[in-house]
Amino acid sequence: MEKVLIIDDEKNIVVSLASILEDEGYKVFFASSGESGIEKFKNIKPDAIFLDIWLPGIDGLETMKNILEINPIQIVIMISGHGNISSAVSAVKEGAYDFLEKPLSLEKVMFVLNRAMEYKKILDENKKLKSILYKNVELNEDDRKKIKKETTGIIEFDINDTKSLSKQKSVGGSNIFYGIGLHSGEKTGMVIKPLRVGKGIRFENISKCGYIPARIEYLDTTNYATSIKKDDLEAKTIEHFMATLHAFGITNLSIKINREVPIGDGSASDFCKFIKNSGIVEQDAFIPDIVIARTLLIGDDKEDGKYIKVEPSNNFSVKYTAIYPEPLGRISYEFVLNSAEDFEREIAPARTYGFVDEINELSKMGLAEGGRMNNFILIDNGKVINTKLRFDEELARHKILDIIGDFYMLGRPIKGKITAQKTGHFENARMLNLIKENFL
């Protein structure tokens, strides 16, 4: 049962607030002064605190400072019958989660408290992320047995199948990345850890055992993003980070997330910096490219058709054409992945984009809740309305970013030329399965 501490010297407020909270299933504790509130806080370790600004002895703001010195992530909701905007601002600046004015209503109290409890869960998850980063988490015997049953992440290959070999790579050490999820809108985080050769790219959940290999076999959905799932584990919006791993040649990596990969600024630029800061280590093993031996086509490759095609090439390249009503019109760009530096300069900065008339539909589907003016290109009537494009072809470059990420779910690098027009994650997934059927 979640615990709530009320620190208030007005008995009628304490009684009415306690009645609301107990009806909702909370265990409630009381204190009538700042000093006694601090002692109660130390003893009961509440999940949330309702704290009056005006108290005998030390006031509410001073009480809160003392509490937050002990537990900096404690949820504190300030309340006052003499509230004004300056009091609210002061309280929040000092570390309060939110501010409520008396008289308190059931709706206001429960709305703020429920939201605070969700926020606390995220803080707790991020605390687990840090513990994963800085120390080894002990596993019980059942967890160890489950992990032993997992299969390798890299798709099996015969090293004699191809002359095109690359060194397997991982990162130099563990690292952590914070942000919000584009579609969930939740504050989230990501911890990466190096893996031994042959383990592949795998996504894990910070509070559950097991992992999901980042492979096409585990694709769950392509609705506006690429997500994978295995049993009760899921990893959402993985394509931008996967593109970065593809470009830097990382083949073995553990990625622990809450559920969704953070969106950053809507591009892959922050991920490039993150991987470089983590260090890139060549490992003592090789991995062969998937060599495209003949042309494969999905769709209609006529002038204005919707299609994706792969054909033989000595390197990995992507050409994408987007076709929208004027003034956007026809936007095309071609990229050859010769180096991570080329990717970081030409493709990584291209941001996610969407259209105003899609926003309501996305919201109904529970998507794009983390879209912000600084991480999402918003288009209305053929015009970008919230930002300045980083490139004339930014929309096409972002589609190339998505393709580079999606195609890394084959588990190995690719030698082939991809040409796509008017396509998205769904068509990428269809082509991945076609490549797998023909060449793996």
Side-chain angles (χ1 to χ4, degrees):
M1 182 181 290
E2 291 172 317
K3 297 178 287 188
V4 175
L5 172 61
I6 303 171
I7 307 175
D8 196 317
D9 64 331
E10 292 186 56
K11 188 173 182 179
N12 61 327
I13 294 294
V14 171
V15 170
S16 60
L17 184 53
S19 176
I20 292 171
L21 298 174
E22 287 172 347
D23 286 346
E24 295 295 325
Y26 289 92
K27 186 173 180 61
V28 183
F29 298 84
F30 316 97
S32 58
S33 69
E35 292 87 349
S36 61
I38 293 168
E39 288 306 310
K40 279 277 180 71
F41 158 73
K42 291 177 181 177
N43 292 329
I44 68 173
K45 296 180 174 59
D47 296 285
I49 298 173
F50 285 90
L51 174 60
D52 190 18
I53 282 185
W54 302 101
L55 291 170
I58 63 172
D59 64 30
L61 288 177
E62 189 63 31
T63 301
M64 182 178 67
K65 287 179 184 178
N66 280 274
I67 288 171
L68 294 180
E69 283 178 4
I70 299 169
N71 180 12
I73 62 172
Q74 175 65 50
I75 296 294
V76 180
I77 300 167
M78 302 298 293
I79 55 177
S80 176
H82 312 280
N84 55 50
I85 190 65
S86 62
S87 298
V89 170
S90 296
V92 172
K93 278 186 176 179
E94 294 295 334
Y97 172 77
D98 210 334
F99 182 94
L100 288 174
E101 288 188 65
K102 299 175 184 176
L104 303 174
S105 70
L106 170 63
E107 290 78 13
K108 285 181 181 178
V109 168
M110 293 317 303
F111 174 77
V112 171
L113 183 57
N114 288 336
R115 191 173 60 182
M117 290 298 96
E118 287 299 314
Y119 180 60
K120 183 178 183 297
K121 287 178 183 177
I122 293 167
L123 291 176
D124 290 342
E125 286 181 341
N126 283 341
K127 189 175 179 181
K128 288 180 184 177
L129 281 169
K130 287 183 178 179
S131 72
I132 291 167
L133 179 61
Y134 295 117
K135 68 179 182 180
N136 293 322
V137 178
E138 291 296 322
L139 298 175
N140 60 39
E141 188 60 30
D142 288 339
D143 286 344
R144 290 193 183 96
K145 287 178 181 177
K146 185 174 180 181
I147 288 174
K148 286 179 182 178
K149 291 179 181 177
E150 300 285 357
T151 57
T152 182
I154 290 181
I155 292 176
E156 298 298 332
F157 59 87
D158 181 345
I159 206 162
N160 297 315
D161 281 350
T162 175
K163 295 179 182 178
S164 179
L165 298 174
S166 302
K167 278 277 193 174
Q168 293 190 36
K169 295 179 184 177
S170 191
V171 294
S174 299
N175 205 351
I176 192 165
F177 186 102
Y178 285 117
I180 64 168
L182 174 63
H183 290 299
S184 67
E186 296 178 353
K187 290 185 178 180
T188 185
M190 175 172 67
V191 166
I192 61 171
K193 279 191 168 186
L195 285 180
R196 299 190 304 275
V197 298
K199 295 299 182 181
I201 309 298
R202 57 176 62 171
F203 284 87
E204 304 176 42
N205 186 280
I206 61 169
S207 57
K208 297 177 182 178
C209 184
Y211 63 83
I212 321 167
R215 297 199 322 231
I216 186 63
E217 295 95 320
Y218 299 95
L219 182 68
D220 180 49
T221 178
T222 55
N223 288 334
Y224 299 96
T226 296
S227 301
I228 55 177
K229 187 173 184 178
K230 181 183 178 187
D231 300 326
D232 60 344
L233 300 175
E234 60 183 345
K236 298 181 177 181
T237 320
I238 67 173
E239 60 271 21
H240 301 171
F241 192 56
M242 288 292 290
T244 305
L245 300 180
H246 192 168
F248 282 87
I250 304 297
T251 56
N252 304 296
L253 191 70
S254 164
I255 306 151
K256 293 181 185 286
I257 58 174
N258 296 335
R259 272 191 317 245
E260 187 176 13
V261 173
I263 190 60
D265 70 347
S267 75
S269 290
D270 289 342
F271 292 142
C272 290
K273 296 172 187 174
F274 178 58
I275 289 297
K276 289 195 297 184
N277 288 339
S278 304
I280 300 165
V281 177
E282 284 193 349
Q283 297 174 300
D284 191 21
F286 290 91
I287 185 168
D289 292 337
I290 297 168
V291 177
I292 303 299
R294 64 182 183 279
T295 299
L296 300 176
L297 172 68
I298 292 174
D300 180 1
D301 61 348
K302 294 179 181 177
E303 183 179 359
D304 291 330
K306 181 177 183 177
Y307 71 93
I308 183 167
K309 177 171 64 176
V310 297
E311 51 195 321
S313 175
N314 291 326
N315 49 33
F316 179 74
S317 68
V318 186
K319 180 179 180 180
Y320 190 89
T321 302
I323 303 175
Y324 297 115
E326 296 293 344
L328 284 176
R330 192 181 193 93
I331 309 164
S332 186
Y333 194 75
E334 184 167 4
F335 173 71
V336 180
L337 183 55
N338 288 321
S339 69
E341 290 74 22
D342 289 345
F343 171 82
E344 187 173 12
R345 182 181 63 255
E346 296 182 42
I347 301 300
R351 294 161 293 175
T352 296
Y353 65 93
F355 299 84
V356 169
D357 56 7
E358 293 178 339
I359 297 301
N360 288 336
E361 289 303 313
L362 286 170
S363 183
K364 289 176 185 176
M365 295 164 64
L367 301 174
E369 298 300 322
R372 302 288 187 269
M373 287 299 178
N374 62 349
N375 67 9
F376 194 84
I377 299 171
L378 193 57
I379 300 167
D380 189 29
N381 294 321
K383 296 180 180 179
V384 175
I385 62 173
N386 69 319
T387 187
K388 183 179 179 181
L389 292 179
R390 294 173 177 174
F391 311 99
D392 291 341
E393 320 87 350
E394 186 167 1
L395 307 190
R397 294 190 196 214
H398 186 80
K399 289 288 189 178
I400 292 172
L401 171 63
D402 286 344
I403 287 172
I404 293 171
D406 285 348
F407 271 64
Y408 208 40
M409 289 203 302
L410 287 171
R412 285 156 52 191
I414 302 170
K415 276 197 172 179
K417 178 181 179 181
I418 302 167
T419 307
Q421 182 167 279
K422 298 166 64 174
T423 55
H425 295 293
F426 176 73
E427 290 78 18
N428 295 347
R430 287 186 62 197
M431 180 56 77
L432 292 179
N433 280 310
L434 195 57
I435 292 172
K436 187 169 176 287
E437 290 169 12
N438 282 269
F439 304 124
L440 294 178

